[in-house]
Amino acid sequence: MPIVNRIADFHADMTAWRHDIHAHPETAFEEARTAGLVAGLLESFGIAVERGIAKTGVIGTLTGASPGGRAIALRADMDALHIHEKNGFAHRSQNDGRMHACGHDGHTAMLLGAARYLAETRNFAGTIHFIFQPAEENEGGARVMVEEGVLARHPVEAVYGMHNWPELPAGQFAIRPGPMMAAFDIFEITVSGRGAHAAMPHLGIDPIVAAAQIVAGLQTVASRNTHPLEGAVVSVTQIHGGDTWNVIPDNVVLRGTARAFVPAVHDAIEPAIRRIAEGAAASLGATARLHYERRYPPTVNSPDETEAAAAAAAALVGADNVKRDMLPSMGAEDFAWFLKEKPGAYIWIGNGASADPAMLHNPHYDFNDEILPLGASYWARLAETVLAK
Ligand SMILES: [Zn+2]
Ligand SMILES: [Zn+2]
């Protein structure tokens, strides 16, 4: 795999950092040990460090050989997931019930490797901010960083992100301009009827039948309410109601998630869910109350920064190994909050170690250590190209 030679020298160190972080996973806004490790390493490389941003975030700031007025940000995420790891290797999680199942341990190690190289060489003009963010999973650590004024305090012309992608073979990258990942919303529908003896349903109003009709009706949000060529997903993921065989309950609670890429589709989903839920419930004499929350915006790459990122990747692996035609993912990414503020690009790095790799968020997942030097080399090449002297 073609990589920056000096970064190849760090492979063993990056692997050791990665294994250390993997063995000590910490979840949203609790990444104290991880942040301490990151800050200590950045300082040992001679990089100025700010700690405690968005509780546990760390930012390293490095100026190039010639200062210049330009600046970019490179971002990695540090948090783990609430998953019980099923791997048996030596670096498996020592925090039971928490696991680096999304590869943020690898993301952190790759950006640390790049920071060490760039601090040694400083072969760029301007300033690089290395953002190590907390709470990418569910809790929006990037949003909190933006709200705390990180980008106001560190004005950058662009911000770049990277995520490993197990379905993509190691040695490849994938990127596209425009939406790369979807907006992520959550919803809860409380369906209220009137409980009754299950043998005398005519004396009550059955919220379970209403909930069933609502679930069926919600399948038409994407199929009948949004443009057929624009992506939308509405998934009901929880149904809670009833306690026993012979009682119709008063209430049923449905929960789920919605996804979309473009504003016109995104904006159509909530009113469609409300209309279907309230209408279906009313048709049976029940009521439905919708609680809807927009969690993450879509992750949208800007055109120029996408080309810069693709070129940096192609310089390492060749243009054929930078996939430009992959479909965007309906998954979500809180890097979107940075891209809402600044131009930038988010790239996938192939993590596939075998023909049948464990997916992200799988209890058998592990980051592929073989790609650590490639990911770090991508960061280095990108920074040196964008901030060329
Ligand atoms: Zn994840
Ligand atoms: Zn992730």
Side-chain angles (χ1 to χ4, degrees):
M1 217 179 278
I3 48 174
V4 176
N5 283 335
R6 179 65 183 133
I7 288 178
D9 296 341
F10 306 156
H11 197 167
D13 285 342
M14 284 191 284
T15 304
W17 303 334
R18 211 278 291 175
H19 288 189
D20 186 357
I21 297 168
H22 190 96
H24 302 94
E26 297 168 304
T27 48
F29 297 119
E30 294 174 354
E31 306 90 339
R33 183 187 184 280
T34 309
L37 189 146
V38 166
L41 284 168
L42 290 173
E43 279 169 348
S44 77
F45 308 151
I47 294 175
V49 170
E50 280 174 77
R51 302 160 192 253
I53 302 157
K55 290 193 181 148
T56 43
V58 177
I59 295 184
T61 296
L62 179 69
T63 304
S66 45
R70 300 175 57 199
I72 59 170
L74 312 178
R75 168 275 203 174
D77 38 16
M78 300 189 292
D79 57 316
L81 287 151
H82 288 279
I83 291 178
H84 181 80
E85 179 158 11
K86 290 190 177 159
N87 292 311
F89 43 60
H91 62 274
R92 70 181 173 277
S93 171
Q94 293 175 22
N95 296 348
D96 204 23
R98 292 184 170 80
M99 176 187 174
H100 272 291
C102 204
H104 299 184
D105 49 346
H107 302 167
T108 298
M110 291 189 293
L111 190 56
L112 284 168
R116 179 173 171 186
Y117 164 84
L118 289 162
E120 270 183 21
T121 54
R122 300 195 187 225
N123 185 26
F124 61 94
T127 302
I128 302 170
H129 300 290
F130 302 95
I131 298 178
F132 293 86
Q133 75 150 85
E136 189 284 321
E137 305 280 1
N138 296 311
E139 303 305 327
R143 176 178 53 77
V144 180
M145 281 191 135
V146 170
E147 285 170 358
E148 288 191 6
V150 162
L151 296 176
R153 217 162 49 242
H154 301 298
V156 293
E157 63 187 45
V159 54
Y160 295 89
M162 172 160 58
H163 206 292
N164 76 95
W165 209 246
E167 298 97 290
L168 195 64
Q172 294 189 355
F173 290 84
I175 191 166
R176 54 183 294 141
M180 186 86 175
M181 301 195 75
F184 156 48
D185 300 347
I186 59 163
F187 61 86
E188 179 180 282
I189 301 167
T190 304
V191 186
S192 299
R194 191 171 65 242
H197 194 299
M200 304 162 203
H202 60 293
L203 299 178
I205 297 171
D206 190 343
I208 289 184
V209 173
Q213 298 208 5
I214 290 170
V215 173
L218 291 180
Q219 308 313 308
T220 66
V221 176
S223 69
R224 304 290 94 175
N225 290 270
T226 64
H227 194 290
L229 296 180
E230 300 280 14
V233 171
V234 176
S235 290
V236 176
T237 56
Q238 302 179 40
I239 303 180
H240 301 280
D243 295 303
T244 189
W245 304 97
N246 56 352
V247 176
I248 293 170
D250 280 328
N251 301 300
V252 172
V253 173
L254 307 173
R255 296 196 186 101
T257 182
R259 310 291 170 115
F261 295 116
V262 300
V265 173
H266 194 192
D267 292 344
I269 291 176
E270 180 180 350
I273 292 178
R274 175 168 286 109
R275 194 174 62 242
I276 290 164
E278 291 178 353
S283 74
L284 298 167
T287 60
R289 194 174 71 247
L290 173 67
H291 170 77
Y292 194 96
E293 252 180 63
R294 292 189 175 206
R295 285 282 174 100
Y296 295 177
T299 301
V300 182
N301 283 342
S302 52
D304 292 351
E305 286 68 26
T306 300
E307 291 311 313
L316 296 166
V317 296
D320 287 352
N321 285 315
V322 182
K323 301 299 165 194
R324 305 298 302 272
D325 56 357
M326 276 182 64
L327 289 172
S329 167
M330 278 291 175
E333 163 61 74
D334 91 335
F335 185 68
W337 292 104
F338 291 122
L339 289 181
K340 251 180 92 115
E341 300 296 314
K342 296 286 174 184
Y346 178 80
I347 197 167
W348 289 330
I349 182 171
N351 190 45
S354 64
D356 186 22
M359 293 284 299
L360 299 173
H361 295 201
N362 182 290
H364 294 286
Y365 170 88
D366 192 32
F367 188 86
N368 178 3
D369 288 316
E370 291 309 308
I371 69 168
L372 289 167
L374 180 61
S377 296
Y378 163 77
W379 282 131
R381 281 285 168 266
L382 177 69
E384 288 176 345
T385 314
V386 172
L387 297 178
K389 283 192 286 188

